[in-house]
Amino acid sequence: MTAEPLLRPTRIYVEPAAAELPRGRAVLDRFPDAERVEVASHWQIPELHGDEANVRRWVRIKREALVLGVKKSLSARPNGRSAHFIAPSTANGCAMACAYCYVPRRKGYSNPITVFANIDQITGYLARHVRRQGPMTSPDQVDDAAWVYDIGENSDCAVDALVSDNVRDLVELFGSLPTAKASFATKHVNRDLLTWDPKGRTRVRFSLMPERTAKLLDIRTSPMADRLAALDDFVAAGYEVHVNLSPVVVHDGWLEDWRELLVSLGDATTPATRAQLAAEIIMLTHNRALHEVNLGWHPKAEELLWRPDLQEGKRSEGGGVNVRYRAGLKRRLLDELLDLVAEHAPYLRVRYAF
C-alpha cells in the first residue's frame, strides 16, 4: 500500500434517505469530521464522476470522497462461472486504483466507494432467495454442495469493511445458511476479517499477479507478499480461500514471472491450505474508453494493457468497445500458463480459465 492512507474521507455525499437509516448514521458517525453534501442520487454527482475533469485528481478522489446511498433494485443475477449468483451490491466503487479495472466505467472512472445503507433489505432479500433455491443437488465447477453468491462484483469487500459493517453482516448471514456460501475477490489484506466467524461459509478469493506487473498496474493495493502471507491465516480463521490468477497480462518475460509467483504460492502455504485451494484464471480484457483516460494519469500502464499487435475488439453487453487477446493467440497463451500451473502448482485445482 502507499504511504498515504487508503481512505481518509473529507467529504461524504449523502442521499437523505440513506442518512435516516441506522447503517447510514453509523457510517456518518465513523467519519465525524467529514463535510456532508446532500445529493439527490448516488448515480449523479458530476464533480465525482466526470472522467475528463477529474483525471488529474483520480487517486485523491478515491481517498477523500465517500458516497452514502440506498440500493433501489434488488436482484440476484445468475452467473455460472465464479459463482451461481451475483448478489445485490452493498457497495460499489473502490478506494484502490487498478489500471485495468472494469468497475469505474459504470459511474465515470474515478468512482470512489458508495456504501448502501439499506443493508437489512439486502440481507433479507438474500436470505429469501437462498431458501427458494433449496439444497444444491448436483456438484459443479462453482462448488460441490452449496449455492455460491458473489457479494463483491462492483467493489472490494475487504476495503468496504473499512467503511461500514455491511460485509460483516453478509458474512454472518451466510454463516447461518447451510445451503449457500458468500464469495468475493480482494486485493487488500484486511486482517480485521480474521476476528469474524465465517463458519466456512465465505470464500475469499485473493487476486494474484506477478509482483513486477502488480507494481505497475495494481495501484494502492496490498503488496503481493502480504496477500500470499494472508492465505494460511484466513484458512485458519474459518474462511474457504481460493486465488484469482488475474488479470493475466502478456509482456516480455511474463511466463517466467508467473513461474516465480506459482513457486512462491507453494512456499507460502501449508499443506492444509493447498488442499482446499482452487483458482480462477482470467486473461486481460481492456476497454478503449478506460485506455484513453489512463493515458491522462498513468500512461506507463497502457504500455502493457493496450497491445493492438496482440488484441482484437469485442463489443461488451453494455455497448462499450473492449479489447482482448486474439482468439487463437489467447488459447495458446492460456495453455502455456496452465502448463506452468500443472508443473509448479500441481495441487492447484483450476475451477475455470478464460
Side-chain angles (χ1 to χ4, degrees):
M1 241 175 5
T2 61
E4 285 281 355
L6 188 62
L7 279 166
R8 189 179 59 199
T10 60
R11 179 175 292 188
I12 303 177
Y13 298 85
V14 187
E15 289 182 359
E20 295 175 1
L21 293 169
R23 182 55 41 83
R25 292 195 297 271
V27 171
L28 294 172
D29 289 345
R30 187 172 295 199
F31 305 104
D33 297 329
E35 176 188 3
R36 302 178 187 182
V37 180
E38 184 174 310
V39 294
S41 170
H42 67 88
W43 279 106
Q44 299 174 6
I45 310 175
E47 65 189 90
L48 288 187
H49 301 144
D51 55 343
E52 293 297 331
N54 289 328
V55 67
R56 291 186 179 88
R57 299 190 298 129
W58 190 282
V59 171
R60 182 178 174 183
I61 289 172
K62 285 177 168 293
R63 183 174 61 247
E64 298 182 356
L66 187 64
V67 183
L68 189 58
V70 173
K71 178 74 172 175
K72 304 298 194 298
S73 175
L74 303 183
S75 64
R77 303 190 335 266
N79 181 249
R81 273 183 171 158
S82 180
H84 295 107
F85 299 99
I86 305 298
S89 301
T90 58
N92 68 39
C94 190
M96 298 183 289
C98 300
Y100 48 80
C101 184
Y102 71 91
V103 171
R105 301 200 295 270
R106 298 200 65 203
K107 280 190 174 180
Y109 301 93
S110 188
N111 198 11
I113 295 174
T114 295
V115 182
F116 295 125
N118 53 327
I119 183 64
D120 291 341
Q121 286 183 324
I122 295 170
T123 55
Y125 169 86
L126 278 170
R128 293 189 296 273
H129 191 276
V130 169
R131 293 184 184 112
R132 286 198 298 271
Q133 307 315 306
M136 182 179 163
T137 57
S138 299
D140 58 24
Q141 62 88 19
V142 176
D143 197 80
D144 288 341
W147 300 109
V148 177
Y149 289 72
D150 192 319
I151 62 172
E153 182 191 34
N154 294 314
S155 65
D156 188 305
C157 289
V159 178
D160 297 341
L162 301 173
V163 179
S164 82
D165 289 332
N166 281 359
V167 179
R168 183 167 190 165
D169 287 350
L170 290 170
V171 170
E172 290 179 352
L173 169 68
F174 281 91
S176 71
L177 298 172
T179 62
K181 291 178 181 176
S183 177
F184 66 87
T186 184
K187 301 180 183 72
H188 177 69
V189 178
N190 182 349
R191 289 186 170 271
D192 289 345
L193 275 62
L194 297 174
T195 66
W196 303 355
D197 183 13
K199 297 182 172 63
R201 311 306 299 176
T202 293
R203 174 184 295 168
V204 181
R205 298 160 8 242
F206 283 93
S207 293
L208 305 178
M209 69 165 56
E211 182 66 27
R212 183 160 67 111
T213 310
K215 285 181 177 179
L216 184 62
L217 303 181
D218 270 13
I219 310 302
R220 310 189 81 231
T221 64
S222 294
M224 211 55 54
D226 291 357
R227 301 185 213 178
L228 291 171
L231 301 178
D232 284 352
D233 294 336
F234 273 76
V235 170
Y239 292 91
E240 182 181 40
V241 174
H242 288 186
V243 291
N244 282 7
L245 308 184
S246 71
V248 177
V249 181
V250 176
H251 55 83
D252 289 343
W254 72 283
L255 281 173
E256 177 59 24
D257 288 354
W258 277 101
R259 185 195 68 77
E260 292 178 3
L261 177 60
L262 291 167
V263 171
S264 297
L265 175 62
D267 291 344
T269 50
T270 63
T273 294
R274 293 195 294 272
Q276 58 86 74
L277 209 58
E280 302 173 11
I281 301 179
I282 305 170
M283 301 292 289
L284 172 71
T285 296
H286 197 31
N287 175 266
R288 181 181 295 277
L290 184 57
H291 164 68
E292 296 295 333
V293 173
N294 281 350
L295 290 175
W297 80 280
H298 193 20
K300 291 291 289 183
E302 291 306 302
E303 295 177 11
L304 291 189
L305 298 175
W306 192 257
R307 293 288 306 273
D309 56 319
L310 302 178
Q311 294 165 334
E312 61 185 4
K314 174 183 180 292
R315 183 71 63 173
S316 71
E317 291 180 4
V321 179
N322 293 341
V323 294
R324 62 184 178 186
Y325 298 118
R326 293 194 300 270
L329 174 64
K330 179 181 175 181
R331 182 67 259 174
R332 178 172 63 80
L333 297 170
L334 190 54
D335 286 343
E336 290 176 336
L337 182 56
L338 289 169
D339 287 344
L340 277 184
V341 172
E343 180 180 358
H344 297 289
Y347 56 85
L348 187 60
R349 176 172 57 92
V350 177
R351 291 183 42 243
Y352 73 90
F354 75 95

